[in-house]
Amino acid sequence: MKLIVIAGPPSAGKTAVVRQIVRNLQATAAIAYLKIDVVRAFEDEELRKEFGIPARKVYSGDLCPDHAGIMVMRDAIAWAAGEGADILIVESAGLCLRCSPYLTQSLGIVVISAVSGTHAPLKMGPMIALADVAVVTRIDLVSQAEKEVFRERILEVAPGIEIVETNALQGTGMRYLIRRIEETGDIEDEDTIEVRGVPPLGVCTICVGKKEIGWQRHFGVVRKLDGADWIFRGE
């Protein structure tokens, strides 16, 4: 089974890209879909109704959605295998842009909207840098010059990344992504799958529910406005 992990900011067009993947590959491959979100999600219901594929969702609640995805991934792979899937597509919530949910033995796809601003790729860091493919959506809404600048910004963050430019609603340019998915290898050993990057540190007292403002009232890894970038403050 192939594992595809799709990340990107909210409303970048991730689900539109998923629809095009399913539409192009459903005739030759059995596909399962998992949506990871925080509070509410409807994509699984829509895709199940539209394509008849096994689809489900999981809510992270108080947990970072990318961290939740890492925790449920082994169960998700087992679920998709039980459904007889050839491809498991996992779509993350992609909220803070600092996490990157991409895994070894998977194809990591970041979806970015061309109308998000020319500096947007520079703000995303690992979400772009650790992906295999960047899918740029809504290219029909920007000029050729803006498109070229956006492309250069992506390459500035990740020089070796593959870039696919598309209007995902119509599916233009998607044949390059479909070919890349077809060339992706299967999971070889799920026991050795790991996260590609290092998630943000979750080791301050805010992480465990302490609500007061000001670094002076917290301990663990904390941040001041001025001075040291990060310090460890013991209890």
Side-chain angles (χ1 to χ4, degrees):
M1 184 172 65
K2 301 179 192 292
L3 177 59
I4 312 296
V5 180
I6 298 179
S11 302
K14 296 189 294 295
T15 307
V17 171
V18 171
R19 278 191 166 89
Q20 291 296 339
I21 293 172
V22 176
R23 190 171 289 127
N24 280 274
L25 291 176
Q26 191 177 23
T28 57
I31 299 173
Y33 170 83
L34 173 67
K35 171 65 176 177
I36 301 168
D37 221 313
V38 181
V39 179
R40 293 295 298 275
F42 305 96
E43 293 86 347
D44 60 315
E45 301 165 22
E46 296 168 357
L47 291 169
R48 190 186 307 115
K49 182 178 181 181
E50 184 175 351
F51 297 106
I53 63 172
R56 62 187 299 179
K57 58 179 166 260
V58 61
Y59 295 135
S60 62
D62 292 332
L63 191 63
C64 161
D66 284 340
H67 290 197
I70 294 166
M71 290 189 179
V72 305
M73 193 59 65
R74 180 183 287 271
D75 293 344
I77 292 170
W79 163 73
E83 293 287 347
D86 301 308
I87 301 173
L88 170 59
I89 300 174
V90 179
E91 180 185 336
S92 91
L95 295 183
C96 74
L97 308 183
R98 167 55 183 86
C99 281
S100 64
Y102 314 117
L103 308 171
T104 58
Q105 303 182 52
S106 76
L107 179 67
I109 301 172
V110 60
V111 179
I112 323 165
S113 170
V115 299
S116 59
T118 54
H119 295 303
L122 303 179
K123 300 176 181 180
M124 297 174 62
M127 190 175 283
I128 292 178
L130 297 175
D132 299 299
V133 182
V135 177
V136 182
T137 60
R138 302 188 178 100
I139 58 168
D140 54 313
L141 301 179
V142 297
S143 68
Q144 181 62 32
E146 290 172 310
K147 197 161 49 172
E148 291 176 6
V149 171
F150 201 82
R151 184 184 184 90
E152 288 304 314
R153 290 287 186 270
I154 293 172
L155 293 173
E156 189 175 336
V157 177
I161 199 169
E162 301 173 49
I163 300 175
V164 175
E165 298 174 336
T166 180
N167 175 348
L169 289 178
Q170 278 73 46
T172 55
M174 289 297 291
R175 65 185 182 278
Y176 302 108
L177 181 62
I178 300 305
R179 186 186 309 148
R180 185 66 175 84
I181 292 172
E182 290 173 336
E183 293 170 352
T184 298
D186 291 351
I187 295 171
E188 296 179 357
D189 180 4
E190 65 181 75
D191 289 331
T192 61
I193 295 176
E194 295 182 346
V195 182
R196 293 186 187 180
V198 178
L201 296 173
V203 288
C204 73
T205 39
I206 296 171
C207 301
V208 293
K210 207 167 184 292
K211 296 181 179 180
E212 296 92 338
I213 65 169
W215 65 268
Q216 298 89 341
R217 299 188 176 188
H218 294 275
F219 55 90
V221 179
V222 298
R223 176 74 185 256
K224 297 180 179 181
L225 180 60
D226 297 309
D229 286 340
W230 296 100
I231 59 173
F232 180 82
R233 185 168 181 267
E235 183 179 4

